[in-house]
Amino acid sequence: MNCNMSNPRTKVLKKIVFFSLLVPLLSLVSCYSFTGSSLSPETQTFLIRPFPNNAANNNPNLSQDFTVALQNRFAQRTTLKGAVDKADIIIEGEITDYNIAPTTISSPVESTQTGNMIQAAQNKLTITVKVHYENHVAGEESKSFDRSYTDEVTFNSDMDLMTIESSQVKIVNERIINKIFNDIVANW
């Protein structure tokens, strides 16, 4: 028996074996999502409504900054398209708490005739956001939820608040948006 590789029959047999292995491999790849998304393939659009700032302490830029950052996260990290109405998923809510408070107290810095002056050594910025999530895709409605998300950042009190507030808010917003995104898209 001659095993000549140039035999036309051998070439056809090689092609058959190759394609018989390739087809199941491609079908397995198409079943798996490399994004790790738990959103169904039928989910095509999203709508993120403005998050009003209803916190007692009001940062005038917080509502817009938070809403735009959340919209950007979904636009950049999913294949979903933004919609103005009748979206497959809708995210809305409100900012319910925005607070900057001292967390640790330092020893007295200055003595006066009336007593010691106490200064905060660190301050903590806390933001809480209430989220209402609706999934309108058939069979996915049970994934809808209402949740509150809180995060915080601590910073030295000797820093000028007017200078660092926006960067600290950005850090907390990013953390909260990560939690929201993971709960909706990754379903962790």
Side-chain angles (χ1 to χ4, degrees), residues 71-182:
Q71 290 168 339
N72 287 342
R73 174 64 56 89
F74 276 82
Q76 293 169 358
R77 296 200 185 168
T78 68
T79 58
L80 302 177
K81 304 290 182 230
V84 291
D85 63 351
K86 298 182 183 176
D88 295 325
I89 63 172
I90 297 173
I91 305 164
E92 58 190 349
E94 64 178 322
I95 298 161
T96 58
D97 186 37
Y98 179 87
N99 191 31
I100 298 174
T103 59
T104 58
I105 307 297
S106 68
S107 57
V109 247
E110 180 179 313
S111 253
T112 64
Q113 291 179 347
T114 58
N116 292 332
M117 181 181 272
I118 298 176
Q119 181 176 336
Q122 289 189 318
N123 289 327
K124 177 171 62 175
L125 166 66
T126 305
I127 299 175
T128 302
V129 178
K130 183 177 177 184
V131 174
H132 175 74
Y133 165 63
E134 296 176 13
N135 190 324
H136 294 285
V137 175
E140 300 285 312
E141 297 88 352
S142 65
K143 292 183 178 181
S144 298
F145 62 76
D146 288 292
R147 292 187 188 143
S148 286
Y149 296 88
T150 300
D151 214 304
E152 59 192 37
V153 66
T154 303
F155 54 93
N156 288 332
S157 63
D158 59 353
M159 300 172 99
D160 179 36
L161 183 60
M162 298 304 282
T163 306
I164 65 158
E165 185 175 16
S166 66
S167 66
Q168 300 305 302
V169 166
K170 189 173 182 176
I171 291 168
V172 175
N173 278 350
E174 183 70 22
R175 291 176 181 169
I176 292 174
I177 289 169
N178 281 339
K179 292 174 186 178
I180 295 168
F181 186 82
N182 285 339

